Every structure is written in structure tokens, then in C-alpha cells.
Amino acid sequence: MLALRLTRTAHLAVHLRRLLVAVASAGTGFLLLCALGHALSHPDAPGASALRLAWCAAPLTAAVYLAVAVARTDPGTRPRSGLSAIGLGPGRLMAVSATTTALSAALGSVAALLAFLYLRGSLTGRPPSDRVAADALAVGQSLPAPAVLTLLVLAPALASAAVAHTLRPRDPRPAAAPAPRGYGRFGAYGWGKARETFGAYGRYGARTAMAAGSRAAAAVPADTSAAAAVPADSRAAVPAGSRAAGAARVGAGGTLQTQASDTHPPAPADVTTQTLDAAPAPAPAPAPAPAPETEPTPRPQNTTTLPWGIAVLTAGLTVETYTGNAAGAPTPGTAPSAGVLIGWALTALGLALAGPGLTHLCGRLLQAARPGALRLLAGRVLMEESQRVGRPLGVVAAVAAAAYVTTTVYDGDGPAFGPLSTLGALLVAGCTVATLLTAAVEARHARADTTDALLRLGAPPATLRAAAAVRAAALLALFGPLVLIVAVLAALPLDH
């Protein structure tokens, strides 16, 4: 009931994003049912039916990825202060978000079933006249209810499980000393430094406190040397309250010694010395307060997955090359082989893993060569949002490369599945682009406090818009050639 109430009272933008999840689930469920219909119509060709079902994994993965991105930007299920007292802790909110995602995906699955039954003539009594559609819809044959239910439950179950895994409550890590850096700035070994918030270095008073602490630390050895230069027997001749008297009570280790802990007490016969030693020592200067830590636990940098992404991308291109050389170029009447599917899956995974590191690198390159305020702001924002925006960018790059390879290999004749393959391509492309836009909205909400602070400090809104344009141009300049290179390398073994 709580999930239904949160769904009903959400904003219009939230409803639109959930509607996108329902549409993606409906398209995926319809493709799965068409694969089942092809298997029922062609019982003598199980290999072709299994290949159709395997190619449905691409739109299914894209739909689940979109559902996770939409759940992350849902404002109704974000943890807030005071909700744990009424039983709405992080675990309960995670369950509410997973339930909301399951409801949206289940609505799409029901729509897919109704569309499938309508097209095959089960609701109207008029079967389709197209022979290809009749084969895919299994016209005139009874549908096995367990198989239909299993295929339709796939999208809601996987989306709900993925959302629950992503938004699960995490225990805070114990504080530990940061490990040394690894091999290179963009290496995958070791941990980085403690995370620094945006603008922490330039905040008022940060460097002044650090300089004061350095001066105080440098003054301690000087006092220690002064104490070592004063003999213990000559303390009677030193006036009370003088600077040397305070220095005489500093031990060899640099710690102040009181009268009770004095290792050389004065002789009892010298009353003057006793009087001088009984005088209170000057109070030591207060030590500077340590600088507050921005984050006690170290976090791995976003560039740690860049070498892994490059390795997986290379493996995917290798699999595609080997498969293409062994099977040759596919004809418009046949479907791509399973090796091509595995190769493209590895390629997309590699680009998704390398996306955060490439985005982080793009932000660093923007700040190179004595940057101005505009490039500095754009680069720091890219570095801060590389984990959130980098993975969807890598997936979009993989989809764009696949589209280029498809148009190059088939020479405009279209894939083998006809309208079903077009529906699958539209689903994958639409889900990946929608996921990227949703991640951009999430990043914008995450830096809303920083944007408000810049506006209060007098930054013109035109500068913020120009910084956004610089970020978009930099990402396009980096990922555009990358897409072309990956697409050309993937199309070489298939176009011969």
C-alpha cells in the first residue's frame, strides 16, 4: 500500500520515467513471446528459436538497466532524517522502490500479453494474413501457460532484483589508513587518497589553518634546542616568567615538564632557587586544531576499472574477429551467430567498465595547461560525476558502434528478423539513451547545492551553461572517435 501511495503522489516527471520502464518491459515481453511463438511454429529448428531467444537478452538487459536508473532518481524513496523512527529506514525504502519497479514492469508485461494475443487473433478471432507474422505469433496453436508466465515474469523479476541489489543498505566501512597508490595515475592497483569535496581547497580559512599548524610545528624544535642549551644548575639565575624559564622546562622529547615531574629538583639549602622554581611556569601555547577530514574512509578512484574495461573490450573484439573469420559475412536472410552475440556483449561490457575512467580522464584533460575558471569548473564536475555518468556513456557508445556495424554489414537490407529486429534495436537504443538522460538528471540533482552556492557567490548563470556545453563537447570529442574505432574494428571481420 505504501508503494501505491508513493506512486500516486509522485511528480509528473517521475510518472513519465516509470512509464518508460513499463514501455521497455512491454517491448521486451513481446519479443520473448514472439521467440516462443517461433519455437512453437518451427519445432524442427530448435537452434534458430534458441538464437532468437538469446538475442532477446539485449533488450532485456537494457530494460533492467533503465529500471535501475529510474529507481535511483526516484525522490519518494530517498532516505531522509526521521523516517527510521516510523519504520521507514533504508531497508524499508529499498523494498518500496523494488516493489514500485516490479509494479511498473508488471504493467508492461500485461500490455505485452494483450498485444500478442490481439495480433495473433485470439481476442478478435481474425488471424493475421502475413505469413511471417503468423510464424512468429504461433497462429492456430495453443500457448503453454507456464512458458508464457515464465517469459512475462522475467522482466519484472530481474528489474526488481537489480533495484534491490543497487539500493540495498550498506554498512559504513571502518576507518583505515589509506594504502599507497599503484602503478600510475590511471592504474588499477592500490587505493587513492581520501576523497576531497568540490571546492574544499579554495574554501575560506582552509589554507590559513594549515599554514598556522605548520608554523606551530616548526616552532617546537627551536624551543627544545633552547632548553638543551640552558644548564640545569643555572635555572636559579633565570628570572621567573621569562622565555628561557619556560624553555628550561621543555624536556629532550619536546614535552613540557611540570614541577612534580622535574627530573632535577633544586637543592633544599637554596631558598632563592626554591622560590624561583615554585613560580608557575607559563602556560604552553594551545596546539592548532586538526583539520576536519572530508571523508574518513578511502574510496577507490573511478579510473580503477579503466584497464579492466580495455581488457574486456579487446576480448570482445577478438571474439568477433575469430567468429567473423570462421563463419564469414552474414547474409540478410540469416541471423548473426552466437559468437557475434558473445563478442558484442563483451564489447558493451568493456565500454561500460571503461566509461567512468574515460570520463575522469576527460575531466583531467580539461584542467590541463593552465585552465581558466570555465575549464576548471567543467573538468571538476566531470571528475566528480564520472562514476554516475560514465557507465551510461559507455553503453551508449557500444550501441552506437553496433548500429554502425549493422548498417555497414547489411548494406541497408535490414537484419534477418524484419520488424522484430527493428523493434529490438529501437528498444535497446531508446533504453540506453533514456538511461543516459536519467543519469544526467540524477547528476544535476546531486550537484544542486554546489550550483546554488555558486549562484550565491555571484557566478552568472551563463557561465554555468557554458560549463555544461564545454562538458558535452569534451565528452563528444572523446567518445566520438572511440565509437568509430570500435565500430570499424568490429566490422572488418564481417565485411569480407
Side-chain angles (χ1 to χ4, degrees):
M1 293 301 296
L2 180 59
L4 292 177
R5 290 180 181 179
L6 291 176
T7 302
R8 183 175 55 86
T9 58
H11 297 285
L12 179 60
V14 179
H15 285 303
L16 290 179
R17 290 195 290 266
R18 291 171 180 170
L19 181 61
L20 288 177
V21 175
V23 171
S25 177
T28 304
F30 184 79
L31 290 177
L32 291 173
L33 291 178
C34 289
L36 175 63
H38 184 273
L40 294 176
S41 302
H42 302 83
D44 54 343
S49 302
L51 187 58
R52 284 173 175 259
L53 184 62
W55 274 102
C56 292
L60 179 61
T61 305
V64 172
Y65 196 35
L66 175 62
V68 172
V70 170
R72 287 172 59 93
T73 58
D74 192 354
T77 56
R78 293 178 182 174
R80 302 183 186 91
S81 59
L83 292 181
S84 299
I86 59 175
L88 292 178
R92 181 71 180 277
L93 291 178
M94 178 269 295
V96 170
S97 183
T99 305
T100 304
T101 303
L103 290 177
S104 302
L107 179 62
S109 297
V110 172
L113 178 60
L114 294 178
F116 185 79
L117 294 178
Y118 177 80
L119 292 177
R120 75 190 302 265
S122 299
L123 299 180
T124 60
R126 293 176 297 182
S129 58
D130 191 0
R131 181 176 177 274
V132 177
D135 290 341
L137 299 175
V139 177
Q141 299 186 18
S142 60
L143 296 175
V148 172
L149 183 61
T150 301
L151 293 177
L152 291 179
V153 166
L154 274 180
L158 291 179
S160 179
V163 169
H165 176 74
T166 304
L167 303 181
R168 69 188 186 279
R170 295 177 175 85
D171 296 332
R173 298 179 180 178
R181 288 183 62 89
Y183 306 114
R185 177 170 293 178
F186 296 97
Y189 177 76
W191 300 83
K193 296 180 179 179
R195 185 181 180 186
E196 181 180 300
T197 57
F198 182 78
Y201 180 76
R203 189 172 294 120
Y204 178 76
R207 286 175 287 179
T208 305
M210 294 172 59
S214 301
R215 289 194 299 268
V220 172
D223 295 339
T224 306
S225 59
V230 178
D233 298 331
S234 60
R235 287 180 295 175
V238 179
S242 65
R243 187 173 182 179
R249 286 168 174 78
V250 180
T255 57
L256 186 66
Q257 295 180 355
T258 61
Q259 184 178 358
S261 62
D262 198 348
T263 57
H264 299 281
D270 195 349
V271 181
T272 307
T273 305
Q274 293 180 3
T275 306
L276 290 176
D277 288 341
E293 299 181 357
T294 55
E295 186 169 339
T297 57
R299 292 181 56 184
Q301 289 187 355
N302 297 328
T303 55
T304 55
T305 58
L306 181 57
W308 292 102
I310 295 175
V312 176
L313 174 62
T314 306
L317 293 176
T318 303
V319 171
E320 292 179 26
T321 302
Y322 177 78
T323 305
N325 293 332
T331 60
T334 60
S337 61
V340 176
L341 175 62
I342 296 175
W344 271 115
L346 291 176
T347 302
L349 179 60
L351 287 175
L353 291 176
L358 292 176
T359 307
H360 195 274
L361 174 62
C362 187
R364 284 191 176 272
L365 292 179
L366 275 178
Q367 302 175 76
R370 304 178 68 177
L374 185 61
R375 285 198 295 135
L376 185 63
L377 179 61
R380 288 302 298 264
V381 171
L382 277 181
M383 291 173 59
E384 187 71 19
E385 299 175 355
S386 57
Q387 185 68 27
R388 186 178 290 110
V389 184
R391 294 189 187 278
L393 269 176
V395 176
V396 170
V399 172
Y404 177 84
V405 172
T406 302
T407 56
T408 302
V409 172
Y410 285 97
D411 295 329
D413 294 333
F417 296 159
L420 294 181
S421 62
T422 304
L423 175 61
L426 290 177
L427 274 176
V428 173
C431 289
T432 52
V433 173
T435 302
L436 178 59
L437 296 178
T438 305
V441 171
E442 180 187 3
R444 183 178 180 181
H445 291 166
R447 67 172 185 269
D449 296 338
T450 303
T451 303
D452 295 341
L454 291 175
L455 292 176
R456 287 194 303 268
L457 290 175
T463 303
L464 301 181
R465 292 192 294 267
V470 169
R471 293 196 302 269
L475 291 176
L476 184 61
L478 180 64
F479 281 90
L482 177 64
V483 169
L484 291 179
I485 292 173
V486 172
V488 170
L489 291 177
L492 282 178
L494 300 177
D495 194 11
H496 66 275

